[in-house]
């Protein structure tokens, strides 16, 4: 039950940065297979900048936290991931406003706003073999969780759906990004953006399950 | 991986520092990673900004100078620059006549340049026009892909449009000219080896000895098909045929660019050009100007690409106009 605290959302970003760093070479390897071999190093550079910015100046509220996260990603990542992940966080912060704690339903609806930002920016559709193929099923699972008001439980359901959705991108033929140039040959490989997006939800679930993450 | 680098993370910064040292006629903003002319073009003329991932040298930093670009924005290796970098360049070269930004059709480049144009308009009020180069015939031009990649035509466009901006044409006519070049240019490439991105540390894709990749872009992203190596005369057909099949190049003069991907020596590029020239001649294509060498590369990839551009008297005049840059220099 309860609401996610600002501290737990800060912990989410730290956790995501750590997961990206640990999976940096794996993400780049996935990108080598169907893209241009830079996804892991790019996202790692961006999340390192996010953590440095948050360490230098702690976030005052959720709007501040996610706005600065989005801007740091946009101005440090480049490529397609910078605008896509950056827009996601900017919209997320915009939807949450300047809060210090967020209910499960508020968080789900703000995450949806982030997803619609990604959709507009990337002009991708479901099934195009992109990060969207993980974002949408993860949030559907959040809404369908046994108790959608339990923020940690809903995030766990979303993380599990995200992992399954990531694996489900393997057989797809890419229609967007560099992988689309491979056409049929892109089938059989995991999408690197789907893989990093699954890490995003794993980090969220882990941060919200930590003791003291949610206010009763 | 065996490269002349310090650390994979500092390749871009270290390379820009070296570019600045080698070319005092350029001014390099090491923080924003933008290459400018040390002596800016006269105020009141349209500014030209291009950019993209590093690793395609001399594109784009090597094409900054009189007769070509005003600024080139450098992203990380094979990664587009970020909107704030690009917006800084747009603001700096906008002197009232507006700026044309030249973008290659890759998802990340298109998104970052699009955001940059919005940012620059909001921050410095500069009027920005965008042209997207999409000339690679290896990619099916369908709604189910990101569309054709921007490759070799970019070089020819930067030269021609650079001359038009230099002689004082306004933003609408410079942008119109740029679109005319895009519509009349086509390219096709092939790789003998993959390139190695420093941060990745190993080749992006594996080619067996005796195998080539046909239809590559400029990032080592795999192409249309994989097939056995063949004599140059046959490989030349793999470049010429799809380009000619896509657009009629027999109606007037063309500019031909036989471009090396970075690791192919000039002896092979000249040899390939000989084969390509013979095929073009046989097909009734009249080559008015030609360029053979490394102009839009892919790090240490071996291979080459062919670009053909249909031109008329005006485009030829602009092509022949003086240019003084590290990568192209004539007539001055």
């Amino acid at each position: 039950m309860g609401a996610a605290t600002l501290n737990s959302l800060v912990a989410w970003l730290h956790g995501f940065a750590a997961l990206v760093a640990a999976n940096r070479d794996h993400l780049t390897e996935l990108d080598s297979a169907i893209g241009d071999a830079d996804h892991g190093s790019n996202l790692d550079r961006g999340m390192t900048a996010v953590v440095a910015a948050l360490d230098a100046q702690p976030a005052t509220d959720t709007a501040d936290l996610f706005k600065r996260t989005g801007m740091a990603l946009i101005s440090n990542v480049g490529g397609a991931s910078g605008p896509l992940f950056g827009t996601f966080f900017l919209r997320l912060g915009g939807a949450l406003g300047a809060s210090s704690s967020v209910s499960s339903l508020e968080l789900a609806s703000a995450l949806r706003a982030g997803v619609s930002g990604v959709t507009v920016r990337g002009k991708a559709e479901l099934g195009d073999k992109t990060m969207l193929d993980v974002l949408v099923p993860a949030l559907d699972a959040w809404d369908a969780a046994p108790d959608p008001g339990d923020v940690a439980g809903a995030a766990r359901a979303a993380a599990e759906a995200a992992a399954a959705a990531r694996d489900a991108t393997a057989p797809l033929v890419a229609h967007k990004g560099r992988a689309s140039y491979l056409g049929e040959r892109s089938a059989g490989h995991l999408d690197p953006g789907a893989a990093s997006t699954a890490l995003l939800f794993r980090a969220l679930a882990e941060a919200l399950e930590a003791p003291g993450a949610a206010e009763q | 991986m065996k490269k002349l680098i310090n650390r994979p993370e500092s390749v871009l910064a270290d390379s820009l520092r070296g570019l600045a040292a080698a070319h005092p006629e350029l001014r390099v903003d090491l923080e924003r990673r933008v290459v400018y002319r040390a002596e800016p073009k006269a105020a009141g003329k349209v500014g030209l900004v291009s950019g993209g991932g590093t690793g395609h040298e001399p594109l784009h930093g090597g094409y900054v100078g009189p007769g070509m670009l005003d600024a080139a924005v450098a992203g990380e290796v094979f990664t587009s620059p970020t909107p704030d970098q690009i917006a800084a360049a747009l603001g700096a070269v906008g002197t009232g006549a507006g700026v044309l930004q030249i973008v290659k059709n890759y998802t990340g480049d298109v998104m970052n340049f699009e955001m940059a144009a919005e940012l620059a308009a909001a921050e410095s009020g500069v009027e920005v026009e965008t042209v997207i180069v999409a000339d690679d015939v290896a990619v099916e031009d369908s709604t189910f892909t990101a569309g054709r990649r921007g490759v070799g035509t970019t070089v020819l466009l930067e030269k021609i449009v650079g001359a038009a901006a230099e002689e004082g044409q306004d933003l609408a006519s410079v942008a119109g000219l740029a679109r005319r070049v895009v519509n009349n240019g086509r390219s096709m490439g092939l790789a003998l080896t993959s390139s190695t991105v420093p941060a990745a540390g190993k080749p992006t894709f594996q080619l067996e000895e005796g195998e080539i990749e046909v239809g590559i872009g400029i990032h080592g992203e795999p192409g249309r098909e994989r097939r056995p190596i063949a004599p140059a005369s046959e490989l030349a057909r793999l470049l010429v045929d799809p380009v000619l099949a896509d657009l009629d190049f027999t109606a007037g003069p063309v500019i031909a660019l036989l471009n090396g991907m970075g690791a192919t020596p000039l002896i092979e590029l000249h040899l390939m050009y000989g084969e390509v020239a013979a095929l073009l001649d046989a097909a009734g294509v009249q080559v008015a100007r030609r360029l053979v060498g490394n102009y839009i590369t892919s790090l240490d990839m071996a291979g080459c690409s062919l670009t053909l551009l249909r031109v008329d008297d005006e485009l030829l005049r602009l092509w022949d106009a003086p240019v003084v840059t590290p990568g192209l220099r004539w007539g001055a």
Side-chain angles (χ1 to χ4, degrees):
Chain A
M1 295 307 289
T5 62
L6 178 62
N7 282 344
S8 67
L9 296 174
V10 172
W12 171 29
L13 298 172
H14 279 96
F16 180 49
L19 282 177
V20 168
N23 287 277
R24 176 196 143 111
D25 293 346
H26 174 60
L27 292 172
T28 290
E29 209 154 292
L30 293 178
D31 199 25
S32 296
I34 60 176
D36 53 353
D38 64 359
H39 188 55
S41 48
N42 283 348
L43 205 52
D44 185 33
R45 186 174 57 249
M47 287 311 297
T48 300
V50 167
V51 167
L54 296 176
D55 285 350
Q57 193 188 336
T60 51
D61 55 59
T62 47
D64 177 54
L65 173 67
F66 292 120
K67 183 181 174 213
R68 287 202 283 132
T69 298
M71 288 311 295
L73 290 173
I74 287 170
S75 54
N76 284 285
V77 176
S81 319
L84 292 171
F85 275 98
T87 301
F88 175 81
F89 282 111
L90 285 183
R91 293 288 183 95
L92 177 61
L96 286 177
S99 328
S100 58
S101 82
V102 180
S103 77
S104 179
L105 297 181
E106 283 169 336
L107 186 52
S109 130
L111 289 165
R112 287 267 180 214
V115 174
S116 78
V118 170
T119 311
V120 170
R121 185 61 70 195
K123 303 179 181 77
E125 289 171 17
L126 272 181
D128 281 351
K129 196 173 177 121
T130 71
M131 63 191 291
L132 211 55
D133 292 319
V134 169
L135 285 170
V136 172
L139 286 176
D140 288 349
W142 188 298
D143 293 343
D147 179 1
D150 167 16
V151 74
R156 173 52 59 191
E160 282 165 11
R166 170 201 62 208
D167 295 342
T169 63
L172 299 176
V173 173
H175 287 159
K176 288 285 168 185
R178 300 242 172 103
S180 70
Y181 302 128
L182 263 180
E184 300 288 334
R185 283 203 278 165
S186 62
H189 299 279
L190 281 186
D191 179 62
S196 55
T197 305
L199 295 177
L200 182 72
F201 281 95
R202 185 176 141 196
L204 180 58
E206 285 171 0
L208 295 179
E209 283 162 352
E215 289 174 342
Q216 294 305 309
Chain B
M1 179 176 65
K2 201 152 62 170
K3 286 181 187 285
L4 299 174
I5 63 172
N6 296 314
R7 292 175 300 125
E9 303 77 42
S10 68
V11 166
L12 172 54
D14 294 350
S15 176
L16 284 176
R17 209 169 300 121
L19 179 75
H23 292 282
E25 75 276 22
L26 301 176
R27 178 174 70 82
V28 182
D29 176 344
L30 293 171
E31 195 199 332
R32 292 290 197 171
R33 294 165 177 190
V34 184
V35 180
Y36 296 100
R37 301 182 189 185
E39 195 172 321
K41 186 157 70 186
K45 291 184 177 179
V46 170
L48 282 191
V49 171
S50 191
T54 293
H56 309 303
E57 290 62 41
L59 196 81
H60 295 275
Y63 297 139
V64 173
M68 229 161 152
L69 301 175
D70 296 281
V73 194
E76 291 290 331
V77 174
F78 287 1
T79 302
S80 86
T82 62
D84 47 336
Q85 285 178 268
I86 304 165
L90 293 171
V93 309
T95 60
V99 181
L100 176 74
Q101 56 176 8
I102 299 157
V103 185
K104 298 182 296 307
N105 191 33
Y106 290 94
T107 312
D109 290 83
V110 172
M111 278 192 264
N112 284 288
F113 276 87
E114 189 179 282
M115 293 170 86
E118 289 170 22
L119 208 59
E123 278 176 0
S124 41
V126 61
E127 189 185 353
V128 180
E129 281 266 9
T130 302
V131 60
I132 295 179
V133 186
D135 61 324
D136 181 5
V137 302
V139 176
E140 292 292 330
D141 195 7
S142 84
T143 51
F144 297 108
T145 70
R148 286 183 167 175
R149 299 175 281 223
V151 288
T153 299
T154 315
V155 179
L156 310 184
L157 186 146
E158 289 177 358
K159 167 66 190 83
I160 288 170
V161 170
E166 210 74 54
E167 68 182 27
Q169 294 191 24
D170 67 15
L171 183 58
S173 73
V174 170
L177 181 71
R179 297 201 175 98
R180 223 164 99 207
V181 172
V182 169
N183 290 336
N184 285 288
R186 297 289 188 274
S187 297
M188 178 74 186
L190 61 82
L192 310 183
T193 66
S194 167
S195 51
T196 296
V197 177
K202 51 188 176 189
T204 304
F205 57 93
Q206 288 295 336
L207 278 177
E208 298 301 321
E209 183 68 34
E211 250 185 353
I212 63 167
E213 184 85 32
V214 182
I216 44 107
I218 51 169
H219 304 92
E221 69 273 39
R224 204 183 239 190
E225 58 165 341
R226 207 162 268 199
R227 55 153 68 208
I229 183 83
S233 56
E234 285 171 45
L235 298 183
R237 282 191 187 283
L238 300 179
L239 301 181
V240 171
D241 290 351
V243 170
L244 296 187
D246 201 81
L247 196 66
D248 181 6
F249 283 94
T250 59
V254 309
I255 297 174
L257 164 63
L258 198 280
N259 168 63
M261 303 307 299
T264 292
L266 274 175
I267 181 176
E268 292 173 40
L269 294 179
H270 282 135
L271 189 157
M272 275 299 281
Y273 185 73
E275 300 294 343
V276 164
L279 292 173
L280 292 176
D281 192 45
V285 176
Q286 178 214 331
V287 178
R289 303 287 185 276
R290 65 287 292 162
L291 208 52
V292 178
N294 291 303
Y295 292 101
I296 169 171
T297 58
S298 185
L299 293 172
D300 52 351
M301 179 188 275
C304 64
S305 63
L306 171 68
T307 299
L308 295 183
L309 173 67
R310 299 198 294 203
V311 289
D312 53 20
D313 289 346
E314 193 202 356
L315 293 186
L316 273 182
R317 179 180 68 77
L318 294 167
W319 176 257
D320 290 339
V323 59
V324 188
T325 69
L328 276 189
R329 180 183 292 256
W330 62 67

